[in-house]
Amino acid sequence: MVGRILVCGSGLAAEMTVATLAAQLPPHVAIMRVDAGDQRASDLFYGSVTAPSAYAFNLSAGVDERRLILTSDTSFSWGTRYADWGGRGWMQGFALPFPVIDGVQLHQYLALVGGDAITPYIAGVQAARRGVFVHPPREGDGQHPLGRAEYGYQFDPVDYAALFAAAVPAGRVERVGGSVVGVEVADGAIAGVRLDDGSLLTADLYVDCSGPAALLLAALAPDWRGTRRIALAVEDDAGGDETPLRTVRVTPDGWQSETPLKGRVRRMRVSAAGPAEVVLGRRSHGWVGNCVGIGQAAAVVEPLTPAPMMLLEQDIQRLLTLIPARRDMVVEAREYDRRFADDHDHADLFQRAFFTADGLPDGPYWQAATAECVPEKLARKLAMFADRGVLVAYDLEPFHPEDWTILHLGLGSRPRRHDRLADRADPGRVRQYLSTMERDIEQAVAKLPPARLYRAQLEQYLKRGMV
């Protein structure tokens, strides 16, 4: 039986993995943790915004929102504004699935009446424009104008990692002193890890959370499907309004983002070269022998969207569902790799779509990004939407149809034809329905408090509940 799990890592991926395993695995499964050097620089590539999935993931790891609000600088997020991307600007907001009326998707009715924007019908986007926030209502008949809104978090990786470290129950995880300096391999599996004091540490299952260095996984699978190299620089400015929206702007040598946190603003600049660099891409296998790579140990993703955090969460959840029952892990490894490849490749489709926009700069970063081939799956998505608004979807994509709808329209793609089933509706009634939906959202959002005020009042309420 698999009774000892060793997690190797010192950063965000390690803290999230350890907290989740400690919260979900039975007590008889021993969990050990060993450091793998300073990972703060590489952790910056996880970005500064999560998807709405973070709420449920955090709860599964023992991090509730009360802890997040009271003990970190994490703030709420309605999404990301791409202020100037190829001469276009739009808000990539979070949302629950858009209404499907009489079997027809909402954007098809927009095409029917000549509408060119879906953002007026996304409550979170309209709230983001005003800098306001409340938790979306989830009770009742679901007809509240804010009922389809979704939110994520804006975060600092170091601050965020501390939340998960604090959530691990005392005594549940054995913290091994020292750092990994070598890996012993036998018969295609790890036989033990050598520490800097000369001792050999052994386990049944090894979880590599050591970042791009991949101290464990690289010893078994050195292959890396790299695409291009990017660099990242970060600085924080004190103050700023706690706007629940990240902003991304194009620069001649890459792109830059501004992410409001509690009491400060994080500014991130991405380019083709700089002091902190990584090679984007992934390994052919995320699970080799008795070793699983989590996060950047198996794949490095550009923080242009919430993709890095979405995929990190999925890596950990995938591992949790496939914890082996015995030391022969062939079945688990194959299934893990199948899902791992699909998740990362499908997330890559979403990110590559950004670089199909017209009017992007011509610097080294942009030359490398736009020179990447458009995969057949992405080409099909773009062509089918442009032709008749069809949302091509593949199994278990990390980004949902509503994400793709917003992105297609944000990039300026307008279907040349619409779903003929939409012709059953009277165009006048469609316009009236859309006008009412837009007005209801606008009126509901106008009543919301500024995000900073809501946060302050929420903190006071939570503190009173803890007394």
Side-chain angles (χ1 to χ4, degrees):
M1 298 292 290
V2 172
R4 287 165 58 88
I5 298 176
L6 173 64
V7 178
C8 173
S10 309
L12 178 59
E15 300 294 3
M16 292 174 63
T17 301
V18 168
T20 305
L21 296 180
Q24 298 296 323
L25 293 182
H28 69 263
V29 178
I31 303 170
M32 299 178 292
R33 163 82 178 277
V34 63
D35 285 341
D38 191 343
Q39 295 176 222
R40 285 176 292 184
S42 61
D43 276 355
L44 294 174
F45 288 88
Y46 284 116
S48 57
V49 63
T50 77
S53 58
Y55 179 87
F57 176 88
N58 292 355
L59 283 180
S60 73
V63 179
D64 62 24
E65 199 168 78
R66 179 179 62 177
R67 185 193 301 258
L68 180 146
I69 294 299
L70 293 178
T71 64
S72 79
D73 291 344
T74 305
S75 60
F76 298 111
S77 179
W78 290 121
T80 297
R81 174 175 56 210
Y82 295 91
D84 178 17
W85 196 271
R88 302 191 57 82
W90 77 96
M91 289 191 187
Q92 190 71 35
F94 303 129
L96 291 174
F98 297 137
V100 175
I101 305 167
D102 202 14
V104 179
Q105 295 168 314
L106 181 64
H107 70 275
Q108 296 286 1
Y109 288 112
L110 289 176
L112 171 68
V113 299
D116 61 356
I118 199 168
T119 51
Y121 315 104
I122 306 174
V125 167
Q126 299 311 310
R129 292 185 190 278
R130 293 175 175 261
V132 298
F133 186 86
V134 296
H135 282 86
R138 291 289 186 259
E139 298 179 354
D141 58 5
Q143 299 303 308
H144 191 283
L146 299 177
R148 291 184 180 273
E150 283 274 69
Y151 68 94
Y153 301 115
Q154 295 167 179
F155 70 98
D156 169 355
V158 173
D159 190 40
Y160 206 62
L163 291 169
F164 292 90
V168 178
R172 178 65 182 94
V173 176
E174 178 186 355
R175 187 68 177 259
V176 180
S179 297
V180 175
V181 296
V183 181
E184 296 194 6
V185 177
D187 299 324
I190 294 178
V193 296
R194 186 71 63 182
L195 304 184
D196 51 7
D197 63 1
S199 61
L200 185 68
L201 193 61
T202 63
D204 302 315
L205 178 66
Y206 296 84
V207 182
D208 191 347
C209 300
S210 62
L215 297 179
L216 308 187
L217 191 60
L220 298 173
D223 66 304
W224 181 265
R225 297 180 178 180
T227 56
R228 54 192 171 90
R229 183 180 297 273
I230 66 169
L232 186 152
V234 167
E235 62 180 17
D236 288 341
D237 293 338
D241 196 9
E242 198 173 323
T243 306
L245 183 72
R246 182 183 70 143
T247 300
V248 170
R249 291 183 173 86
V250 167
T251 66
D253 57 353
W255 56 268
Q256 63 184 19
S257 66
E258 296 180 358
T259 308
L261 305 173
K262 180 186 177 183
R264 57 191 169 112
V265 176
R266 166 142 295 187
R267 304 185 191 281
M268 178 184 299
R269 190 176 186 90
V270 173
S271 59
E277 295 184 353
V278 296
V279 177
L280 304 176
R282 69 171 178 86
R283 299 188 182 279
S284 299
H285 301 282
W287 187 324
V288 181
N290 57 353
C291 180
V292 184
I294 298 294
Q296 294 170 352
V300 178
V301 182
E302 186 166 6
L304 178 61
T305 72
M309 287 299 292
M310 294 168 63
L311 293 171
L312 174 57
E313 293 169 1
Q314 289 190 326
D315 284 352
I316 298 170
Q317 291 173 328
R318 193 185 312 114
L319 168 62
L320 192 63
T321 61
L322 293 170
I323 292 291
R326 56 182 183 174
R327 294 186 182 182
D328 178 4
M329 307 174 187
V330 174
V331 171
E332 291 85 355
R334 287 176 178 170
E335 178 62 12
Y336 186 95
D337 281 342
R338 182 187 70 83
R339 299 186 203 174
F340 164 75
D342 281 350
D343 287 344
H344 284 267
D345 291 352
H346 289 155
D348 186 57
L349 298 181
F350 191 81
Q351 303 235 119
R352 289 197 188 197
F354 282 79
F355 301 107
T356 64
D358 296 327
L360 295 173
D362 193 34
Y365 168 90
W366 296 103
Q367 290 177 3
T370 56
E372 292 180 346
C373 68
V374 175
E376 188 276 334
K377 284 186 173 182
L378 176 57
R380 181 178 294 274
K381 278 179 173 285
L382 298 175
M384 290 299 290
F385 189 87
D387 185 64
R388 53 175 296 158
V390 172
L391 292 169
V392 175
Y394 305 106
D395 290 345
L396 302 176
E397 288 191 51
F399 289 94
H400 303 306
E402 56 273 16
D403 301 317
W404 277 99
T405 301
I406 299 170
L407 179 59
H408 283 304
L409 296 173
L411 290 171
S413 179
R414 298 293 181 270
R416 290 184 288 272
R417 297 175 291 168
H418 61 266
D419 187 342
R420 300 268 59 104
L421 295 180
D423 290 333
R424 296 175 300 181
D426 174 57
R429 293 188 64 185
V430 171
R431 291 188 180 92
Q432 182 180 5
Y433 172 83
L434 294 173
S435 176
T436 300
M437 185 178 179
E438 180 178 0
R439 184 190 67 244
D440 289 347
I441 290 175
E442 183 178 353
Q443 291 177 349
V445 167
K447 300 175 183 178
L448 303 184
R452 177 183 293 180
L453 177 60
Y454 181 79
R455 163 91 178 229
Q457 293 176 338
L458 180 60
E459 286 184 354
Q460 294 177 4
Y461 171 78
L462 293 174
K463 288 176 181 177
R464 287 198 302 269
M466 296 177 66
V467 175

